[in-house]
Amino acid sequence: MTGIIVKVKHRFPALWSIVESVNGGLCRLRYPRRREAADEAIASLPPVEGYAWSRVEPEDAEALSRFFTRQKEERLTYFRPHRFDPATLRRMARSGGFVMLKVTAATSGEIVGYHFLRLFFNGTIFHGLIVGEGHEGHGLGTQMWRLGAAIAESLGSDMEATISEANAASLTSCRNAVEVVETTPIADGYLHLRLRPRR
């Protein structure tokens, strides 16, 4: 199933746009508490000192787009799950098919990290994340994995992710933060992981 999703997304962008629109509407019905689940997960985990989490709202689109434009190209090597322009980010924030979260620095209020859950009406929930340059080593990635898994569990599903085998930092962060239930090799050197909160 994962392989089919990836192929449709990359090879048939027009069809993927239709799929996402339909999927978003169905996810509103399947996951009516997706926003509340995110807020509850944020409140339940111990905070990371100096940083704050919150949901991405449509009005955050410009600031979030600027966050992406500040990143060096190499930081985006393994993170291109969607376009980074304000219109795309605003549409995603309004969609029922996403739970988008931003990390802000407590002192400046600037966005310094981002992660999201892509929801599918069949019960599949994928997670993706990026920590902004200069904010590595503070536990942001670990907290992102934990939050994503907690939200997915609250919505009744395991969390899934695709990670390149060459992306050692992300694999290590993931495995340290959550329980890896299953690992399956897929195309182009990527791994498909099924994840749950670590007990």
Side-chain angles (χ1 to χ4, degrees), residues 67-145:
F67 162 76
F68 287 118
T69 61
R70 290 197 306 269
Q71 306 309 309
K72 292 180 179 178
E73 190 66 21
E74 55 265 29
R75 294 199 67 77
L76 300 173
T77 301
Y78 302 112
F79 188 81
R80 296 188 183 278
H82 52 72
R83 296 177 64 180
F84 302 142
D85 60 284
T88 296
L89 297 171
R90 195 174 295 112
R91 184 172 62 251
M92 289 171 58
R94 289 173 176 152
S95 170
F98 293 90
V99 174
M100 303 164 67
L101 302 168
K102 65 183 186 292
V103 185
T104 53
T107 51
S108 66
E110 182 179 62
I111 296 175
V112 297
Y114 162 76
H115 60 132
F116 70 99
L117 293 170
R118 185 189 292 269
L119 314 176
F120 289 93
F121 71 90
N122 67 350
T124 303
I125 298 179
F126 277 91
H127 185 245
L129 72 156
I130 180 171
V131 175
E133 185 178 8
H135 297 274
E136 311 91 332
H138 295 278
L140 302 189
T142 298
Q143 188 82 329
M144 289 175 176
W145 286 113

Side-chain angles (χ1 to χ4, degrees), residues 42-53 138 143:
I42 291 169
S44 70
L45 288 180
V48 177
E49 186 175 358
Y51 298 95
W53 264 257
H138 295 278
Q143 188 82 329

